[in-house]
Amino acid sequence: NYSVFIRHHPVYHVGDAPKGFSVCLCGHIHDAWSTKWSDDGKVLNMNVGLDVNDLYPISKQEIIIRLDKEFKKRKDK
């Protein structure tokens, strides 16, 4: 249910994202954070790097679980 794109760097400004996407799977930031919204709140960045995931890749199912949780928190605000 998510429009996802993957790139090395996170999206800090919505202009950095392709149109129509709401999720960016990224790395580059190392262990600084696991998820972070873009400045305008339109794109959720998820750090899928090994350094924030116990040095193991995370599964597609785990990514979806984490996305569901973050979007629910956003909706509940």
Side-chain angles (χ1 to χ4, degrees):
N1 296 333
Y2 299 103
S3 299
V4 177
F5 70 103
I6 299 168
R7 73 181 210 171
H8 186 71
H9 295 273
V11 171
Y12 292 109
H13 309 285
V14 74
D16 296 339
K19 290 186 186 251
F21 288 91
S22 58
V23 175
C24 174
L25 301 181
C26 64
H28 181 70
I29 53 154
H30 306 284
D31 63 356
W33 44 261
S34 294
T35 57
K36 184 175 187 173
W37 288 91
S38 61
D39 293 342
D40 61 4
K42 294 184 178 181
V43 177
L44 176 63
N45 293 286
M46 179 178 285
N47 181 0
V48 294
L50 299 177
D51 46 354
V52 294
N53 294 295
D54 297 323
L55 300 178
Y56 289 96
I58 59 174
S59 68
K60 178 180 172 183
Q61 292 79 11
E62 181 62 26
I63 290 171
I64 293 169
I65 289 167
R66 292 180 188 186
L67 290 175
D68 287 346
K69 180 180 174 183
E70 290 299 318
F71 275 89
K72 182 178 183 334
K73 283 193 319 192
R74 188 72 162 190
K75 184 180 174 184
D76 291 345
K77 283 187 174 182

